[in-house]
Structure formats: structure tokens, C-alpha cells
Amino acid sequence: MVVLATKCYIDGDARERALDSLTSLVANDIGDLDVTYDIGVRDDGFISVTVSGDDETVARNVLREEWGEVTPHLSAGETYVGTLEHWDDDGFVLDAGIEVRIPTEELGLGRGSATQIRDRFGLVQHMPLTFVYGGDEGPSRLADEQVDRLYDWTRGSGRVNVNSATRGEVRATVNRAGHAKDIVTVERLGLLEQSIVCRDETDPPGLLASIGSYLPAELKCVIGQ
């Protein structure tokens, strides 16, 4: 079994749609391999995929590469993926199967409190983040590749990040609001966390204001250069 480093935390019909979307995504990932699989949701919201068949080892590795994996034990100095659950002025708290606190000074994202950094980089709750676990050797920190990716966002044309919606739902919402020509694409960050990439001439706060009424979600802007 692989526990994916992404969560399903919504209820009702929206939950069913999200799991249907996930089933399609997993099929795209491993559907050509000689495996059968079953998808479930743990009590803590993380997605589990039980895989069996001749290609099960390959399938598990593909899922780990695509989604990240929540493991029972973390080793100091190793890189993992956790979801952003809480934050305060002293740092971020990620859920990686256990709570992992990353102090503000270990975020690597410039000046300000953790709350200010979250706002500046448009980090929505439950978004997956890659980190290096400190354990007994010192504090945990955001991984270099994660820091680089977030800085790249601020050098681009701007983004609107969303949680509590699938990629398909976000694309449909942008189209419904009449902004299909104002975006480049919608990037999937997790099952229910998406990043709308704006065109150079698009104003991210204006896009957020326009689509916000359609989405019962947290939306945050990234202002590009």
C-alpha cells in the first residue's frame, strides 16, 4: 500500500467528485501497468492506494514519484512531503503522518513572519510541501527544490492558488466566470489544491475577486514580476 501525500477533506457530493477525479488520475499514472488497485481515504484524510499484480513495485514507485508518500517513520536528513495544516508567526506545521514544525527561519523564503510568508507566496491550507526532516539532529526545513519552486512563482506572471476543488472544477469555474483567455493553465498541486497560472496581462487579485464567489474555497494570490 502507498499512502499518497495528499488529502481528501471535503464531504458530500464534492467528496465523491474528488474521489472520481483521483481514480482517473491514478489510472493515468499506473493504468498501463499489470496491476489492480483500490483507493481509500484514511481517518486523517490521506489517500491510500493498495496495489497488487506483476508490476506492483513499479506502480508504487510511480505513485510515490507523482504524489509523494506518507511513511510510518521519518529519518533525519531525508526529504518528505507533508501538507500545510497550521501556521503562526513562529512557523508552519505540516502533516506528514506526524506533525512536523518548520520554524520561520528554516522556511528559506525571505523576511517576515510565517503568516506573512504564507500570504506572499500564496500558500493555501493543505497544500503539499516538500521538506527535509530534522528529527534529533535539528529543526526541519523546507527542501531547496520547494523553495526554488515558490520563488519561481514570484518571478512569473502571477497566480491564484485554490484549495477544496479539483483541477477540473477550477478550470470550469474560470471558464464560467469568462476568464478562459486570461490564464495559461491550471496546475495541480494536490488532489484538491490547484494553481491558476495567469497570463502576463492578467491581474491576479482581479481574477481572484471575479472567481471567488463561485468557489467555496480558500484563494490566495501570488503577485509576479
Side-chain angles (χ1 to χ4, degrees), residues 87 114-123 218 220-222:
W87 53 89
T115 301
Q116 291 170 330
I117 289 169
R118 186 179 90 92
D119 290 339
R120 186 162 69 246
F121 288 90
L123 307 182
E218 180 184 26
K220 298 190 80 64
C221 287
V222 182

Side-chain angles (χ1 to χ4, degrees), residues 133-192:
Y133 183 59
D136 295 333
E137 297 182 2
S140 300
R141 62 179 176 84
L142 284 186
D144 292 343
E145 59 265 32
Q146 182 68 73
V147 172
D148 290 344
R149 182 184 188 190
L150 295 178
Y151 270 120
D152 282 345
W153 286 3
T154 67
R155 300 183 186 107
S157 55
R159 294 170 178 254
V160 176
N161 294 337
V162 184
N163 69 10
S164 304
T166 66
R167 184 171 183 262
E169 289 170 336
V170 172
R171 290 182 65 91
T173 297
V174 170
N175 292 342
R176 190 182 313 125
H179 290 289
K181 295 182 179 179
D182 297 325
I183 73 167
V184 176
T185 189
V186 178
E187 292 182 0
R188 179 173 57 79
L189 306 177
L191 173 61
L192 293 169

